[in-house]
Amino acid sequence: MKSSAVTPEVIEKAAQGDNGAISTIYRAHVQQIYRYIAYRVGSEEDAEDLTAEVFVRMVRNIAQYQPTGAPFEAWLYRIAANCIADFYRKNKQVTQVELMDNVISDAPHPEQRLLDRQEVDELQSAIRQLQDGEQTILILRFVERKSHHEVAEILGKSISAVKNAQHRALVKLAALLGKDKVRHYLRGHDD
Amino acid sequence: MTNRRKTPEQLADELDAMLHTGDRRHLARGRPARSDDPLVKLAQSIAEKPAPKLSAAAASRIEAKMLTALKQSQPPTTSQPQTAPQPVAPVKHTFAQRHNGNHKIIRHIGRALTFAASIVIMMAFTVTMAHDSLPGEPLYTVKRAVERVERGGAIWTGNMVGVRLNHAETRAREAVTLINRDQFRAAILRDAIDDLTAVAILITADAPRDSIVIGNTMLTITAPPDVILRTTQVNALLDYVVVEAQERALAEPEQIREVARTLSNARESGSIFVPPPDSVVGGVDPADDVVEEAPTSPPPVEVTDVLSPTDAPTTAPTDAPSATPAGLLAFVDATGVTNVRSGPGTQHDIIVRLPPRTAITVIGENADGSWYQIRLEDGTTGWIATFLVTSGTPPPPGQGQPPDSPPGQGQPPDSPPGQAQPPQPPGQSGPPPGQGDPPSSPPGQSTPPGQSAPPPGQQSD
């Protein structure tokens, strides 16, 4: 279900406690919120718990939701970011758990799937070492395929701020992954 | 090819061109990116990696959890959809709210626990108040109910003897208190006799080891010294109650006689036991038996054969001796060597050790009546536990009363008929209560009300 199904009317009904409207919102956004959280925390169980917490907070607070011109999902991402922050505050020693069971791979062969998984783990682990805002931008941009404009709306920032943060995040991520070409690039050397 | 560092704006343009934002399909098909920029390639690799996906089962679980939270945050009636939204719960949730939304259950459990705690406190208060209640008072029923519970619990703890002995003592003291209020309740005495009977049965059920006297028969049983002492106390209290009731005519004579008969029959049949004073040491090997004085209350010892006037104590006792009994002829009634100490208590030094049947003179008594101050024939004074003392003169060996006979089974040979004598339960060989002899003093307490100790200096011979 596309998020376009979440119209202002649906949100208004949901604010009045309409179960159907709330379910509509939930189904429209649950997967993207889960992906965002899964990238950020790295554990299937934690991601599921935190996703549930996001939507529980949503139903408890949706009556107070005030449309600001930003998409509704921006509010959900903000709740999710708060939940993740709470999670890391309470679990300072969280280990990076692999997302093996959650990864849906299109690779036909098990060997290829294993390689994909290793790459995914490496990539996600590196993303989690970035700052919160940088992680969010990368996930929204390259996992959710949001445009700069959409990301700017969600984050409440200007487009140029998003572009700068995106650039900074990718440079950091490349450094963390340690790829040779990236190092050359970062040094500004000619090949 | 040249890879120069791009500005954020340039990078953004290339990324937009690479991503074709919103169109996942060409990425899934692996269309080659047109840029060789490593950052663009990195972004492309993020976009091409399989993303985590929530399973349908997990999505259903979360939805159910969310709808449960929605239900809990709503008021009971939903018939007014147009009204202003209800205030939502604060974002900071309790532990219970975060975990399965069980806060209502926990609240109910909390209330139930509070209620239960209140009940327990009230019960404890009531039980405490009932502890000192007497027959006929409102809380006496509670007291007896608690005792029934104690008996049930004693089955598990294995302390049935102690519990029944406690109850027997409680009944006896209730009877004494009632007597002091000029009341007599035969049922209380019967209950005490029942408890004593239970004690005797329970003790005889144990493996035989030590010898004591049960009723008029010798039986080999196991009985701890404290049980014997306390049993003796209860017997003395019952005697006191019966005698007082008869003397003061507190009930129909026939009713009192019937209780006296019951008590007497129980003792004669051995269903309750009346140990002699020396039964405490009956099981001690005579070869090494230096008798240590028991710290608890002694059995009743009625000292009436006074041969010498009161003498002032020559030692300095820690407890001020009372005036009674003083100057009374008595003898050490124990099978082993008995310690005479410098003060009333086993913490005091041993002055001298006396063999059995040594004649002594009782010249004083400590506050609770558990120790006598005595004087020996050579003038030495000291303290000796009262339960090791019997009034009168010592019987000659092999003649008259054996040293381990219980009191009340005959008088010392030199005690003329009609004189006061050691305590005798009703129905035994002594004269019946109410025939001029004051009842024996209940042990472990001061002289009972209405009964005065022999005046100092009284002589029977």
Side-chain angles (χ1 to χ4, degrees), chain A residues 2-14 21 24-25 72:
Chain A
K2 292 182 180 178
S3 60
S4 60
V6 181
T7 61
E9 292 74 25
V10 171
I11 294 170
E12 188 178 342
K13 282 186 179 179
T24 299
I25 295 173
F72 183 78

Side-chain angles (χ1 to χ4, degrees), chain A residues 118-134:
Chain A
Q118 287 172 348
E119 286 186 14
V120 167
D121 294 341
E122 187 183 11
L123 184 62
Q124 292 186 348
S125 178
I127 289 174
R128 283 194 288 274
Q129 296 179 51
L130 302 175
Q131 291 179 3
D132 291 352
E134 294 167 349

Side-chain angles (χ1 to χ4, degrees), chain B residues 154 158-166 198-199 202-203 206 224 227 230:
Chain B
N159 187 29
M160 186 59 91
V161 171
V163 169
R164 296 303 291 261
L165 203 48
N166 285 344
V199 169
L202 289 164
I203 289 180
D206 290 340
V227 172
R230 294 180 60 202

Side-chain angles (χ1 to χ4, degrees), chain A residues 16-29:
Chain A
Q16 293 170 358
D18 184 275
N19 280 15
I22 286 174
S23 290
T24 299
I25 295 173
Y26 170 78
R27 289 167 194 163
H29 294 294

Side-chain angles (χ1 to χ4, degrees), chain A residues 17 19 26 48 60 104 145 163, chain B residues 9 21 47 50 59 88 93:
Chain A
N19 280 15
Y26 170 78
E48 182 180 330
R60 290 188 192 283
I104 308 298
R145 315 284 162 72
K163 288 177 178 176
Chain B
E9 196 67 37
T21 304
V88 296
H93 302 299

